[in-house]
């Protein structure tokens, strides 16, 4: 059975709807050319996944040429098993083989609905649970027995990995906190905080493509939640979003600056 993919956001469906509910929401968009669909089989014929090592136990996976939102997935390797953070639509034979050779997946966790894509297929391929915050359950467009909803402020996946509810961009917006190999802390942020081009600031938005801000209260809440978790480095959803030092200070300073601008 073919799985249909939204060309704008990569969300997967058992049958192509008239319009993608992810894209009709104001936090995404339908392109001026209109709604377009492809299938997982067709995508695999024209695209492949590239790999990059960000740290000794942290790998990035990104589809080339760019497809849909063009986010990357991150593979965290821990003694308790590999965790896939965020997801991309393309799961081709080469990617299956590489992930299996690295030990498979013990879990999948996703920051927010824009990156759900084909999480159901990744979970089935590696028999891995998918951890999603329950506040975003309405955005699950294909059912899967692998989905595990959680609704706490934090969910411990292992001694080195914890999912943290940040909110903001989506009600269930989640970040992944990993102690890292040096125990200084790493934040996998998705879009819950957006690393800016200079990599010395982050920002917070309700809708990135439509440039709709969060309120001061919402930004303060995100910053307060993240302040509980020490981290030196930040890796965002896109290939240029790598903060190598002072990550926690950058988030705190950026939140104060954001709130200050809104109050003028």
């Amino acid at each position: 059975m073919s799985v249909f993919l939204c060309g704008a956001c990569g969300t997967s469906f058992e049958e192509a709807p008239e319009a993608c509910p992810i894209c009709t929401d104001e936090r995404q968009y339908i392109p001026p050319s209109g709604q377009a669909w492809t299938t997982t089989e067709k995508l695999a014929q024209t695209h492949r996944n590239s790999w990059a090592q960000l740290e000794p136990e942290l790998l990035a996976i990104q589809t080339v040429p760019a497809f849909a939102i063009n986010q990357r997935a991150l593979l965290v390797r821990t003694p308790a098993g590999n965790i896939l953070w965020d997801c991309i639509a393309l799961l081709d034979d080469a990617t299956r083989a590489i992930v299996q050779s690295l030990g498979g997946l013990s879990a999948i966790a996703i920051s927010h609905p824009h990156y759900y894509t084909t999480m159901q297929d990744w979970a089935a391929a590696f028999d891995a649970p998918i951890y999603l915050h329950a506040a975003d359950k309405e955005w699950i467009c294909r059912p899967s027995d692998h989905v595990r909803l959680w609704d706490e402020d934090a969910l411990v996946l292992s001694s080195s990995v914890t999912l943290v509810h940040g909110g903001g961009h989506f009600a269930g917006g989640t970040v992944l906190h990993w102690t890292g190999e040096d125990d200084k802390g790493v934040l996998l942020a998705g879009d819950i905080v957006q690393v800016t081009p200079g990599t010395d600031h982050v920002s917070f938005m309700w809708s990135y493509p439509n440039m709709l801000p969060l309120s001061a209260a919402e930004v303060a809440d995100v910053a307060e939640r993240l302040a509980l978790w020490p981290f030196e480095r930040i890796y965002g959803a896109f290939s240029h979003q790598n903060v190598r030092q002072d990550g926690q200070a950058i988030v705190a300073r950026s939140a104060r600056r954001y709130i200050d601008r809104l109050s003028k």
Side-chain angles (χ1 to χ4, degrees):
M1 181 181 70
S2 291
V3 171
F4 293 87
L5 303 174
C6 171
C9 72
T11 300
S12 62
F13 299 84
E14 292 179 348
E15 296 182 1
E18 290 186 10
C20 170
I22 300 292
C23 291
T24 53
D25 177 73
E26 284 189 295
R27 283 163 289 193
Q28 181 47 22
Y29 65 95
I30 295 177
S33 56
Q35 188 74 73
W37 302 96
T38 189
T39 65
T40 50
E41 294 89 354
K42 289 180 180 178
L43 184 65
Q45 291 172 4
T46 56
H47 292 66
R48 64 178 179 83
N49 287 335
S50 67
W51 291 70
Q53 187 174 48
L54 302 176
E55 299 194 8
E57 302 300 337
L58 182 65
L59 301 169
I61 316 167
Q62 192 162 17
T63 300
V64 292
F67 174 70
I69 296 174
N70 193 34
Q71 77 276 8
R72 60 185 176 183
L74 299 176
L75 186 70
V76 186
R77 304 189 67 196
T78 80
N82 298 327
I83 298 171
L84 183 73
W85 170 248
D86 281 338
C87 198
I88 53 177
L90 179 60
L91 176 59
D92 57 10
D93 290 342
T95 302
R96 291 173 189 262
I98 293 171
V99 174
Q100 288 288 18
S101 71
L102 293 172
L105 298 177
S106 63
I108 298 168
I110 303 181
S111 60
H112 69 290
H114 290 161
Y115 304 153
Y116 286 177
T117 62
T118 58
M119 60 180 180
Q120 302 89 344
D121 302 319
W122 286 77
F126 302 105
D127 192 24
I130 308 167
Y131 292 100
L132 307 177
H133 198 276
D136 291 338
K137 65 181 180 181
E138 66 180 286
W139 301 105
I140 300 172
C141 295
R142 282 173 61 204
S144 171
D145 291 338
H146 291 88
V147 170
R148 306 286 185 268
L149 298 176
W150 61 284
D151 60 4
E152 299 88 359
D153 288 335
L155 179 68
V156 175
L157 296 188
S158 74
S159 60
S160 63
V161 175
T162 303
L163 303 181
V164 179
H165 179 215
H169 182 40
F170 270 80
T174 299
V175 299
L176 184 150
H177 182 270
W178 172 43
T179 57
E181 292 300 292
D182 58 2
D183 294 324
K184 291 185 177 181
V186 178
L187 192 74
L188 307 188
D191 280 353
I192 308 312
V193 296
Q194 183 81 265
V195 178
T196 59
T199 69
D200 56 352
H201 288 78
V202 300
S203 193
F204 314 80
M205 294 288 281
W206 186 76
S207 172
Y208 290 100
N210 295 312
M211 300 181 187
L212 297 173
L214 290 169
S215 68
E218 289 170 315
V219 172
D221 183 58
V222 174
E224 183 178 346
R225 291 171 181 271
L226 299 188
L228 300 174
W229 301 89
F231 54 91
E232 180 75 3
R233 300 180 296 284
I234 306 172
Y235 296 98
F238 302 99
S239 59
H240 60 283
Q241 294 183 327
N242 306 317
V243 173
R244 302 296 187 179
Q245 61 183 9
D246 300 327
Q248 191 167 37
I250 286 171
V251 170
R253 182 174 68 246
S254 298
R256 290 193 299 269
R257 182 61 173 150
Y258 191 109
I259 293 167
D260 178 62
R261 290 302 304 169
L262 288 178
S263 65
K264 289 186 179 296

